Every structure is written in structure tokens, then in C-alpha cells.
Amino acid sequence: MLNYFILVGLLLASSFYFSKACTDGLLENVDFPGSDITFLYSPTVEHCQKLCTQHPSCLFFTFIRPDWTRDNGHFQCFLKSTPSGQPSSQSPLLGVTSGFSLKSCNPDTRPCFSQVFQNVDFLGADYRALFTPDYEECQRVCTQEPGCQFFTFLNGEFTDNKYRFKCNLKFSRNIPRTRVEKKTGVTSGFAQKLPQAQEFDTTCQNQLFLNTDIPGSDFEELNSVSPEHCRVLCSAHPKCTYFSFSSDNFKCYLKNNLNEMVSKPKDGFTSGIPAHFCKLDD
């Protein structure tokens, strides 16, 4: 009889262990139908898994990938739970990926996500905007700002040219969550609040727009010896959002416009964007 109770105890312990075992694999083209708690938008299945791990009740999930063809439900991350901790059923379904929470895998609970997403827009949650020469600097600004959690940068291919090079800083409570959609000419990503944020190359990219003027929005006119010097002057002024330099009279025009940046070709002018949280070349 004693051996019987020992055996039952061992079986119960082993079943508890296996129910808590870490299941970190992903199941492509497999759906876990039903048992939804909620759904959120997510740019990748890995981020969807982080959302599930961060949610106190989520035990498994199904993510609708960008190659989904049935409707416009792309980037939806369905968080799910059952009393048993396992999906009630699973079925084959093209365009989705399913998986499990990493709560039992001793995950890093800090919601840092280093990947950036080309031609993906994070909609809404904007609290501030500025202009940066590239998405790396936009991410660096987002990382340095205490309130910023994620961003969308409109690059030089964005359809409306007056919004090109605009860096939209975004905030939401807890792990960053927002609507996600495909859009040409934008790059989105997350602030790097973990130690790897210090791995950024802090040398500024010397991106200047040659033979280009950004007319209007001037708030100060200064003497300057070069476009690079003009950029230093703009970077040092808290109001300066971009600048134009005239090589004919060595004038540096500091400009302030947080809403749009409209450029036009003009010989003898060089324009640019100030540096943010990076080291200017001597």
C-alpha cells in the first residue's frame, strides 16, 4: 500500500512538472481556435509571444501573419487561455502561427524588442514628433526619452514628401501595443531601454541634402562657414528642427516646424536635420 501511495505521488508530481514545462516552439500554419481573452496588434509572432508572456492570464496564442489572404486581419495577435493550460483544439490554417506563453521559461520580463520593421507602420499613440536623418537616430531619440516606448520613422521614400524624415515618438502603458499595418516608406521599432542601448554607434551620420532648400519657418539667421557648421548651430539650439545653408552668402537659416518639412531643389543651398543624442564629427 505504501508503494502505491509513493507511485501515485510520483505520478502527480511528474504530471505537475510536465504541465509547467517550457514550450517555446512555434507552430506555423496551425490555429488554436477559440478560448480568446483579447486580441492586440503585433508586428511579428515573436512580439506576439512576448505580449502573451506579459499578459497575466495568457497561456497560448495565435498570430495572423502578413501573408494571410482571407481578409485584412493581418498582424492580429489573439491571446488565449483554458483551465487546463492547453488549447482545446488545434487545426491547420494557412497564414497563422501559434505558440505558448514563455512564463514557465524564466523569460526576461522587461519588454525590450530590438528588431525594427521596414514598411510597417505603428498607428497612433503619438505624443511628440521631430525630424531625424534616419531611423537609427529616431530609435536613439526614443531610447533616450523616458516616456518613449516605440516609434515610426517616415523615410525618404514616403509618399507625401513634406513628412519625409519625420520621427513619431509613441507611448502606451505596459508592453508597447498599437495597431499595425503595412505601409511603404516607413520603419517602426521599439526603444532599447536595456543595457544593449549603449551599443549604439553614437557617431552622427553626416546626411545633408545637397542643392536643396527648405523654405520658410525661419526663426534665426546666423553666419556660418559650411553646411556642417550650420548643422552644429542647429543642433545646439533647442528650437531648431532643420536648417538650410547658403554657400553664396554663408548664411545659416535655423528653422522651426514640428509638423512638416517641405524641401525644393535650389542651387547653392544645402539643408539638413540636427543631431540628436549622437556625437558630431569634429
Side-chain angles (χ1 to χ4, degrees):
M1 180 63 71
L2 178 62
N3 289 338
Y4 171 78
F5 283 115
I6 292 173
L7 179 60
V8 169
L10 288 173
L11 287 173
L12 288 172
S14 64
S15 66
F16 176 79
Y17 172 80
F18 285 117
S19 69
K20 296 294 184 182
C22 172
T23 308
D24 57 359
L26 297 172
L27 303 172
E28 286 203 11
N29 300 317
V30 171
D31 181 29
F32 293 160
S35 306
D36 295 359
I37 303 170
T38 187
F39 87 87
L40 301 167
Y41 287 95
S42 180
T44 65
V45 65
E46 292 81 8
H47 183 261
C48 180
Q49 190 170 48
K50 270 188 173 287
L51 289 174
C52 181
T53 303
Q54 293 288 318
H55 194 285
S57 302
C58 182
L59 298 176
F60 48 94
F61 64 89
T62 293
F63 173 71
I64 301 183
R65 302 193 307 260
D67 59 319
W68 170 263
T69 57
R70 291 194 180 185
D71 53 35
N72 293 324
H74 314 98
F75 301 108
Q76 291 186 25
C77 171
F78 291 89
L79 307 185
K80 302 167 180 282
S81 180
T82 57
S84 69
Q86 296 295 318
S88 301
S89 63
Q90 54 182 287
S91 57
L93 185 61
L94 290 175
V96 306
T97 299
S98 296
F100 295 86
S101 163
L102 300 179
K103 290 181 179 68
S104 59
C105 303
N106 296 317
D108 184 348
T109 56
R110 294 168 295 182
C112 178
F113 205 80
S114 61
Q115 185 180 354
V116 296
F117 309 95
Q118 303 292 343
N119 300 318
V120 170
D121 188 13
F122 289 171
L123 302 175
D126 298 25
Y127 73 90
R128 190 164 86 85
L130 67 161
F131 291 94
T132 60
D134 49 42
Y135 77 82
E136 290 93 344
E137 190 156 346
C138 182
Q139 187 176 50
R140 185 159 51 238
V141 173
C142 183
T143 298
Q144 295 289 339
E145 287 225 0
C148 185
Q149 293 180 324
F150 51 111
F151 66 90
T152 290
F153 172 74
L154 314 183
N155 62 35
E157 304 298 318
F158 190 69
T159 307
D160 194 336
N161 61 6
K162 66 177 177 287
Y163 299 124
R164 289 174 183 172
F165 303 101
K166 195 168 187 179
C167 169
N168 296 287
L169 306 181
K170 300 166 181 282
F171 168 83
S172 72
R173 300 189 183 280
N174 250 340
I175 189 166
R177 56 193 70 186
T178 182
R179 283 194 59 200
V180 181
E181 72 175 20
K182 290 188 267 189
K183 183 179 290 185
T184 302
V186 305
T187 302
S188 299
F190 299 90
Q192 302 299 286
K193 302 298 187 187
L194 299 185
Q196 63 258 39
Q198 304 306 314
E199 297 172 8
F200 278 124
D201 177 10
T202 56
T203 301
C204 297
Q205 299 298 314
N206 190 23
Q207 181 175 345
L208 296 170
F209 309 124
L210 303 178
N211 298 315
T212 299
D213 183 26
I214 308 174
S217 302
D218 297 9
F219 70 89
E220 191 164 355
E221 177 185 317
L222 301 169
N223 294 318
S224 177
V225 296
S226 68
E228 291 79 9
H229 182 215
C230 186
R231 187 186 185 200
V232 171
L233 294 173
C234 180
S235 301
H237 200 297
K239 283 182 63 177
C240 188
T241 52
Y242 43 82
F243 65 90
S244 290
F245 170 78
S246 171
S247 58
D248 294 334
N249 58 6
F250 295 99
K251 292 294 185 182
C252 174
Y253 301 94
L254 305 186
K255 301 165 183 285
N256 177 262
N257 187 333
L258 293 172
N259 297 315
E260 60 185 32
M261 184 174 68
V262 181
S263 61
K264 69 175 186 179
K266 189 171 183 179
D267 292 340
F269 274 73
T270 300
S271 296
I273 298 168
H276 305 277
F277 303 109
C278 59
K279 183 180 178 181
L280 284 162
D281 195 315
D282 290 340

